[in-house]
Amino acid sequence: MTRAQQKTKIEYGDFQTPIDLAEKVCEKLASLGVNPDLIIEPTCGIGNFVDAASRIFQLTPKIIGVEINPLYVQAIKNKKKLLCDCRISIKQGNFFDLNWSALIDDACQNILILGNLPWVTNSQQGKIRGVNLPTKVNFQKHKGLDAITGKSNFDISEWMLIDLINRLQGRNGYLAILCKTAVARKILNHLRLKKLNLSFSAIYKIDTKKYFGTTVDAGLFFCDFSEKTRTYFCSVFEDLETSSFKQIGYYNETLVRDIRSLKKVSFLWDKKSNTKWRSGVKHDCSRVMQLCKVDNSLINGLGKVVDIEDNYVFPLLKGSDVAKGKVEQTDKYILVPQSRIGEPTEQIKKDAPKTWQYLIAHAEYLDSRKSKIYQNNPRFSVFGVGDYTFKPWKIAICGLYKKLDFRLVGEIENKSTIFDDTVYFISFDNEKLARTTFESLLSQPAIAFYSSLIFWDEKRPIKTGILNRLNLERLREIPHRSQI
């Protein structure tokens, strides 16, 4: 595959659905009682869904496929068996420019929108300078730091699904789209926030390695809009054949992975936690701020020996250290120039002149940090610092790993241990309380509580918003060997 072809494949999220998977999807829909008057595949590719739908839904009078790639349109037209079916109409067009009103007659009520939308994000499009994008608006309505630090990134299919759902509102319609399970959850959240109609939804997971040669948590996302009801629960099946399922849904305004399991431990839910989990230090300049000890000398990320006072230097544990349980010693250190967010840094000049000179000498790296969070803040600022950062005892967990591995962490070399920003932690002045809390977090009730909340397919499955939902005071009152 040439570089240009690879760019095109990424830009259009081009993962063609194998015919056997398209057939299984259509058979599943038929078993659910779907019997549409109109089927539309909005990004039909080489036409495998159109082909499968024409055979499974033989009573459907009209099937429309839309595709942007003229080579794929021609490939479909070369399939004589499709051309011979007078119900099928293939149109070349861009989803984002298409006149959907011309495709969907106002009188047509029983509609199935079927297919496989692009598996690509807007940030991936930016990296390859792709143009296959909707008009750029902050449709997710993120504010402040959420929009600045990455939550505004979205899958193109997310935008497309929202657009399609809006067109199905007020009709007897169905949506059956292959997409990432994380995208399906975002759509469920959108439906609830906008108070849109939804009578039933389900996710049927698929083996993406088998069908697409890539490992992604994805499946068939099915929505039934046939009744004017608002049911914001989603049944999650492990595959297209199984009948057992978990149900994701909302509990106290929070979307959880297994609503039935959560209800068994709901007494541990904390609406407003007194103990807050925090993230580690964010600095976005590891070459300057992170140091490594080699033969009793500190070396920075530029490979240079660093001679500074130890006032602002602390032992550092990264997320991988915490995940692997390597928390008692380290050869990594971090320069922390503030004790709280927004604290002026000029005092370093007086308290630690060699440290100040080091920062000045490397100002070009620190001043050029791209994130907007450093703007209008003191020079050399970092984030994720407060009195909690410097307490002697902490319980930590890495947010990137797909396992509930809590670690009890004390001081290293008689100094507070600092974490990078992939780690979440709570801190203590009292060792006894830290150990008691740690034992409680290892108990079966705590694991059951968190397991019912966490969506393990996410890039960073463990978040402070989830960790803070557990009432630690109530948890500590339960004997740590208790079973639910």
Side-chain angles (χ1 to χ4, degrees):
M1 183 181 296
T2 67
R3 184 173 297 180
Q5 288 172 324
Q6 180 67 20
K7 176 182 180 294
T8 300
K9 185 177 180 69
I10 296 171
E11 180 175 352
Y12 292 94
D14 191 353
F15 289 91
Q16 295 298 309
T17 308
I19 187 63
D20 58 335
L21 177 57
E23 289 171 348
K24 287 182 179 180
V25 167
C26 290
E27 287 167 357
K28 168 55 69 174
L29 296 175
S31 74
L32 292 171
V34 176
N35 186 24
D37 300 317
L38 169 64
I39 298 175
I40 298 177
E41 186 181 359
T43 55
C44 68
I46 59 175
N48 284 340
F49 263 121
V50 170
D51 185 358
S54 68
R55 288 182 281 108
I56 304 300
F57 298 103
Q58 295 186 10
L59 297 180
T60 297
K62 192 173 184 180
I63 301 172
I64 300 173
V66 180
E67 174 55 40
I68 190 173
N69 190 329
L71 295 179
Y72 288 165
V73 172
Q74 186 58 49
I76 297 173
K77 291 180 177 179
N78 290 338
K79 296 180 179 180
K80 293 182 179 180
K81 63 179 180 179
L82 294 184
L83 288 180
C84 292
D85 192 331
C86 61
R87 302 173 300 157
I88 297 174
S89 173
I90 305 298
K91 301 180 183 298
Q92 184 181 342
N94 187 334
F95 181 99
F96 305 113
D97 302 325
L98 203 64
N99 183 357
W100 288 95
S101 298
L103 288 183
I104 304 176
D105 190 298
D106 288 338
C108 185
Q109 289 292 312
N110 197 9
I111 303 169
L112 168 62
I113 296 181
L114 172 70
N116 181 6
L117 299 178
W119 295 15
V120 62
T121 65
N122 64 324
S123 66
Q124 288 172 312
Q125 289 277 33
K127 289 177 183 177
I128 64 168
R129 299 181 180 180
V131 295
N132 186 38
L133 284 163
T135 302
K136 290 191 176 182
V137 293
N138 184 14
F139 74 94
Q140 297 167 317
K141 306 301 181 185
H142 288 310
K143 298 179 181 179
L145 285 180
D146 284 351
I148 291 170
T149 57
K151 287 193 177 180
S152 55
N153 185 31
F154 62 93
D155 282 77
I156 303 303
S157 60
E158 184 181 345
W159 189 97
M160 298 167 84
L161 281 165
I162 289 172
D163 187 64
L164 293 170
I165 285 168
N166 289 337
R167 299 180 189 282
L168 289 175
Q169 288 293 297
R171 301 174 182 270
N172 290 332
Y174 304 94
L175 186 77
I177 297 291
L178 296 178
C179 66
K180 299 175 187 176
T181 53
V183 169
R185 292 195 298 271
K186 290 178 181 179
I187 298 304
L188 186 65
N189 193 53
H190 175 82
L191 287 161
R192 179 175 176 272
L193 287 175
K194 297 297 182 181
K195 296 182 172 61
L196 300 178
N197 292 340
L198 176 66
S199 55
F200 173 77
S201 68
I203 297 170
Y204 300 87
K205 294 185 179 181
I206 59 172
D207 185 344
T208 56
K209 186 67 175 178
K210 172 183 176 181
Y211 290 114
F212 299 105
T214 185
T215 304
V216 181
D217 202 310
L220 171 67
F221 182 42
F222 174 70
C223 295
D224 180 352
F225 303 104
S226 61
E227 298 178 15
K228 293 182 179 179
T229 56
R230 297 171 181 174
T231 307
Y232 305 121
F233 294 92
C234 184
S235 301
V236 181
F237 299 82
E238 285 304 309
D239 53 51
L240 288 162
E241 288 80 28
T242 186
S243 59
S244 61
F245 64 93
K246 288 184 171 63
Q247 191 172 59
I248 65 176
Y250 286 87
Y251 187 87
N252 285 341
E253 306 300 310
T254 301
L255 186 65
V256 301
R257 186 181 70 92
D258 188 345
I259 193 74
R260 290 180 294 186
S261 294
L262 176 63
K263 287 180 178 178
K264 296 178 183 178
V265 286
S266 60
F267 65 94
L268 291 172
W269 185 276
D270 199 342
K271 290 184 179 179
K272 190 175 181 181
S273 178
N274 294 323
T275 304
K276 285 192 175 182
W277 289 81
R278 310 278 186 171
S279 62
V281 174
K282 178 178 176 62
H283 53 73
D284 291 317
C285 194
S286 58
R287 289 182 293 181
V288 175
M289 306 301 276
Q290 289 183 196
L291 312 169
C292 183
K293 185 172 282 188
V294 180
D295 297 331
N296 292 321
S297 294
L298 291 176
I299 309 295
N300 66 15
L302 299 167
K304 297 179 180 178
V305 175
V306 177
D307 180 21
I308 58 177
E309 300 88 351
D310 65 358
N311 308 40
Y312 297 91
V313 177
F314 295 86
L316 171 69
L317 292 179
K318 299 188 125 182
S320 57
D321 298 320
V322 173
K324 296 173 183 176
K326 298 178 180 180
V327 298
E328 295 183 356
Q329 59 185 11
T330 184
D331 60 357
K332 296 182 284 289
Y333 298 82
I334 185 171
L335 178 54
V336 186
Q338 295 163 294
S339 59
R340 57 180 172 80
I341 294 175
E343 180 183 33
T345 53
E346 288 81 4
Q347 80 278 359
I348 300 175
K349 188 187 304 183
K350 178 181 177 181
D351 298 341
K354 288 195 290 185
T355 300
W356 181 255
Q357 286 302 314
Y358 174 76
L359 291 169
I360 292 295
H362 296 85
E364 61 177 301
Y365 296 99
L366 292 161
D367 293 344
S368 62
R369 290 178 290 181
K370 293 181 180 180
S371 178
K372 292 182 180 179
I373 63 173
Y374 301 107
Q375 296 177 10
N376 302 320
N377 274 290
R379 200 177 190 191
F380 312 135
S381 282
V382 296
F383 281 79
V385 289
D387 59 346
Y388 49 86
T389 306
F390 304 99
K391 290 188 177 183
W393 289 94
K394 299 179 174 95
I395 298 172
I397 188 168
C398 181
L400 298 178
Y401 286 72
K402 302 181 186 300
K403 193 175 182 182
L404 279 169
D405 273 339
F406 295 99
R407 308 295 182 188
L408 181 64
V409 182
E411 294 183 328
I412 297 177
E413 299 174 12
N414 297 316
K415 297 194 77 172
S416 299
T417 303
I418 308 297
F419 306 107
D420 69 13
D421 63 352
T422 67
V423 174
Y424 302 117
F425 67 96
I426 46 177
S427 53
F428 305 82
D429 291 311
N430 182 287
E431 178 183 355
K432 183 178 179 181
L433 181 58
R435 291 190 179 278
T436 301
T437 304
F438 178 64
E439 289 182 4
S440 297
L441 284 169
L442 299 181
S443 68
Q444 195 272 340
I447 299 302
F449 180 87
Y450 281 137
S451 295
S452 69
L453 294 177
I454 298 171
F455 293 99
W456 293 108
D457 60 311
E458 296 188 357
K459 183 177 180 181
R460 189 180 291 219
I462 300 171
K463 305 177 178 68
T464 55
I466 291 172
L467 294 169
N468 284 326
R469 292 280 68 84
L470 177 63
N471 188 312
L472 290 172
E473 289 79 9
R474 200 167 296 155
L475 178 66
R476 284 193 289 261
E477 294 172 359
I478 304 173
H480 72 272
R481 288 191 175 87
S482 290
Q483 302 292 311
I484 295 298

